[in-house]
């Protein structure tokens, strides 16, 4: 448990929110800190969003100061974070610690930074307990089954919505045949299934092939063989590490550059594409330093690709993106005046058990340049308060920032609609059913310009629409 209370006046109404995330990897190092920077960034984004809302700072999300339901709203988010230990059991235990085992600050809403398979489990428990589960990364379409998960919402669209948008984009460009190269995991398979379904809906021919982790097969060649060489519109559901080998497979068979169009899902980030800019790109320079002869071919092939993110943003090497407000703000905090001061002014300490994290105020995450686990019981004050490297930004930080904003705006909207009948002190199943019945529809019937773009929800499923 990391206590990370956001300062606010004692007279304010308090909504207890819990963040469930990975602090330790109990698969590998039980009771030791998982110091990977990706979970830390998402945790920081949640806290930062709560911080901005509590201060009523509308410099990043204008709706905090412009919506009528914000007038007179004194609700503040009281944020605590719990370790899931990177296991299913850990996620369930963290949920219990955040709710029934936390009598002082029982969470009414949980932001779950966990995989879709674990989110479905928590969302079903939330159905029983009348607890809202919010996510910025769980994309499984199963979570749209409202009978099973009536109190689940997310600031990231489901896989089918994003894949359908990608297919529709290619259709609008005049293509009637598409090929999908995808990672052979839950995310990749779900995205591929959504794309195939969308292609059927739009009467396009679709072919797919998985990218195996050992690169023992050539999925691009397989799709070309199956389609008699007629595919030149491609969807790549791959990671940044896969980008170079996939292009090396595509170029010799004429599936990159020229008349081909590649659309990548949101695991391909700005840095992955800009890294192949001729002259200034880091990946391009590394390629040349290694003596490879195809560096220019890869750079040319990637110069026309698109990245369509779950937020609807598109980015090319030639510049221009619909998703840049969060990126600019994230990298623009050079003086650390807001971000560093807020998140790193206190020392974080481990308790004797190594799996509970206690702070006497705001949390401090620190990175000393290594990824070695810190032994339990370590006083984190011995590490420099340098936080972590923000040079690489993924879209999921923006999604989790927007989770906190969605909760705050939704709570104020529920208060304006229900007045004093909206009780933040609700307890027990009957009271929670009334409370959640007021808060959930308010949270899913708002629109705001978040850091991941314009955030609009499907009021039937609670999922964001692309």
């Amino acid at each position: 448990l990391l206590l990370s209370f956001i300062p606010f006046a004692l007279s304010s109404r308090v909504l207890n929110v819990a963040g469930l995330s990975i602090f330790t990897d109990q698969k590998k190092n039980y009771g030791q800190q998982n110091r990977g920077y990706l979970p830390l960034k998402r945790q920081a984004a949640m806290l930062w969003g709560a911080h901005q809302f509590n201060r009523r700072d509308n410099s990043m999300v204008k709706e905090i100061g412009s919506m009528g339901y914000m007038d007179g709203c004194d609700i503040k988010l009281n944020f605590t974070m719990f370790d899931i230990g990177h296991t299913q059991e850990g996620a369930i235990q963290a949920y219990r610690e955040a709710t029934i085992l936390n009598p002082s600050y029982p969470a009414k809403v949980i932001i779950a930074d966990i995989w879709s398979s674990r989110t479905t489990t928590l969302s079903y428990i939330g159905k029983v307990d009348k607890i809202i589960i919010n996510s910025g990364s769980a994309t499984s379409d199963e979570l749209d089954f409202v009978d099973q998960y009536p109190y689940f919402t997310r600031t990231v669209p489901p896989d089918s919505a994003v894949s359908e948008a990608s297919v529709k984009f290619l259709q609008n460009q005049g293509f009637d045949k598409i090929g999908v190269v995808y990672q052979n995991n839950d995310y990749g398979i779900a995205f591929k299934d959504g794309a195939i379904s969308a292609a059927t809906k739009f009467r396009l021919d679709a072919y797919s092939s998985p990218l195996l982790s050992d690169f023992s097969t050539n999925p691009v060649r397989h799709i070309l063989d199956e389609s008699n060489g007629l595919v030149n519109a491609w969807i790549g559901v791959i990671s940044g590490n896969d980008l170079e080998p996939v292009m090396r497979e595509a170029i010799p068979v004429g599936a990159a550059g020229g008349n081909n169009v590649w659309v990548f899902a949101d695991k391909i980030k700005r840095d992955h594409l800009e890294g192949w800019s001729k002259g200034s790109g880091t990946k391009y320079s590394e390629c040349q330093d290694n003596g490879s002869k195809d560096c220019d071919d890869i750079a040319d092939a990637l110069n026309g690709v698109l990245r369509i993110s779950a937020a609807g943003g598109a980015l090319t090497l030639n510049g221009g993106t619909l998703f840049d407000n969060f990126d600019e703000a994230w990298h623009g905090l050079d003086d650390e005046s807001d971000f560093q001061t807020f998140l790193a002014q206190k020392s974080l300490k481990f308790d004797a058990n190594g799996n509970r994290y206690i702070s006497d105020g705001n949390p401090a995450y620190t990175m000393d340049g290594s990824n070695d686990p810190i032994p339990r019981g370590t006083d984190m004050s011995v590490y420099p308060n340098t936080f972590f490297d923000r040079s690489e930004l993924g879209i999921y930080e923006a999604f989790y920032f927007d989770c906190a904003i969605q909760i705050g705006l939704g709570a104020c909207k529920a208060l304006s609609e229900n007045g004093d009948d909206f009780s933040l002190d609700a307890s027990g199943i009957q009271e929670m059913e009334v409370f959640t019945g007021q808060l959930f529809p308010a949270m899913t019937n708002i629109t705001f310009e978040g850091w991941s773009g314009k955030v609009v929800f499907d009021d039937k499923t609670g999922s964001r629409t692309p």
Side-chain angles (χ1 to χ4, degrees), residues 74-94:
D74 61 348
I75 293 175
K76 301 294 177 67
L77 305 182
N78 186 36
F79 218 102
T80 56
M81 301 201 75
F82 297 80
D83 177 30
I84 68 169
H86 215 325
T87 65
Q88 178 84 297
E89 296 80 3
I92 295 172
Q93 181 61 25

Side-chain angles (χ1 to χ4, degrees), residues 196-271:
I196 298 299
S197 176
T200 301
K201 174 181 177 180
F202 299 134
R203 298 182 180 181
L204 307 182
D205 295 328
Y207 308 85
S208 64
S209 185
L211 178 67
L212 302 181
S213 58
D214 60 0
F215 297 99
S216 58
T217 63
N218 186 329
V220 177
R221 185 184 295 276
H222 180 269
I223 289 172
L224 288 175
D225 290 343
E226 189 178 2
S227 66
N228 295 319
L230 297 179
V231 169
N232 56 359
W234 303 86
I235 296 176
V237 193
I238 61 176
S239 70
N241 292 332
D242 300 328
L243 188 59
E244 184 175 343
V246 167
M247 286 297 104
R248 281 206 162 99
E249 291 181 346
I251 290 170
V253 295
N259 294 324
N260 290 278
V261 171
W262 277 84
V263 173
F264 292 106
D266 54 22
K267 283 196 173 183
I268 298 297
K269 299 185 293 188
R270 174 194 296 269
D271 292 346

Side-chain angles (χ1 to χ4, degrees), residues 6-8 49-56 75-78:
I6 313 301
F8 48 80
H51 179 56
Q52 293 298 97
F53 176 80
N54 285 351
R55 294 198 313 171
R56 299 299 192 264
I75 293 175
K76 301 294 177 67
L77 305 182
N78 186 36

Side-chain angles (χ1 to χ4, degrees), residues 54-338:
N54 285 351
R55 294 198 313 171
R56 299 299 192 264
D57 185 338
N58 65 350
S59 61
M60 302 171 188
V61 179
K62 66 179 184 300
E63 285 80 2
I64 291 176
S66 65
M67 303 306 294
Y69 56 74
M70 292 299 299
D71 294 341
C73 179
D74 61 348
I75 293 175
K76 301 294 177 67
L77 305 182
N78 186 36
F79 218 102
T80 56
M81 301 201 75
F82 297 80
D83 177 30
I84 68 169
H86 215 325
T87 65
Q88 178 84 297
E89 296 80 3
I92 295 172
Q93 181 61 25
Y95 173 94
R96 286 169 51 82
E97 290 182 352
T99 55
I100 62 175
L101 299 180
N102 187 19
S104 299
Y105 311 102
K108 303 293 193 295
V109 184
I110 288 176
I111 302 179
D113 175 20
I114 52 180
W115 296 343
S116 291
S117 59
R118 296 169 189 169
T119 304
T120 55
T121 300
L122 294 191
S123 297
Y124 189 79
I125 300 173
K127 170 187 176 181
V128 175
D129 293 341
K130 318 304 179 188
I131 300 288
I132 296 172
I133 307 295
N134 197 353
S135 176
S137 59
T139 57
S140 170
D141 283 277
E142 181 183 351
L143 288 160
D144 276 347
F145 297 161
V146 294
D147 290 340
Q148 292 282 2
Y149 316 110
Y151 304 127
F152 173 77
T153 181
R154 51 186 159 190
T155 56
V156 57
D159 291 317
S160 59
V162 182
S163 55
E164 180 172 322
S166 301
V167 172
K168 185 65 176 176
F169 168 81
L170 291 173
Q171 183 192 44
N172 290 340
Q173 304 307 307
F175 296 103
D176 59 7
K177 295 177 176 59
I178 63 171
V180 184
V181 177
Y182 62 95
Q183 289 182 310
N184 196 29
N185 55 27
D186 289 347
Y187 171 74
I189 293 171
F191 200 107
K192 177 264 299 183
D193 289 345
I196 298 299
S197 176
T200 301
K201 174 181 177 180
F202 299 134
R203 298 182 180 181
L204 307 182
D205 295 328
Y207 308 85
S208 64
S209 185
L211 178 67
L212 302 181
S213 58
D214 60 0
F215 297 99
S216 58
T217 63
N218 186 329
V220 177
R221 185 184 295 276
H222 180 269
I223 289 172
L224 288 175
D225 290 343
E226 189 178 2
S227 66
N228 295 319
L230 297 179
V231 169
N232 56 359
W234 303 86
I235 296 176
V237 193
I238 61 176
S239 70
N241 292 332
D242 300 328
L243 188 59
E244 184 175 343
V246 167
M247 286 297 104
R248 281 206 162 99
E249 291 181 346
I251 290 170
V253 295
N259 294 324
N260 290 278
V261 171
W262 277 84
V263 173
F264 292 106
D266 54 22
K267 283 196 173 183
I268 298 297
K269 299 185 293 188
R270 174 194 296 269
D271 292 346
H272 296 141
L273 296 179
E274 291 183 343
W276 281 99
S277 297
K278 287 185 180 180
S280 60
T282 56
K283 294 296 294 184
Y284 178 79
S285 299
E286 289 175 7
C287 180
Q288 289 192 315
D289 292 342
N290 292 333
S292 300
K293 299 184 181 301
D294 58 355
C295 305
D296 286 339
D297 293 336
I298 295 175
D300 290 339
L302 288 175
N303 195 41
V305 305
L306 293 172
R307 170 188 178 272
I308 295 186
S309 75
L315 169 70
T316 72
L317 286 183
N318 291 326
T321 175
L322 301 180
F323 168 56
D324 62 5
N325 53 345
F326 183 41
D327 181 75
E328 290 175 358
W330 186 270
H331 290 96
L333 295 167
D334 295 330
D335 61 359
E336 303 289 319
S337 58
D338 186 35

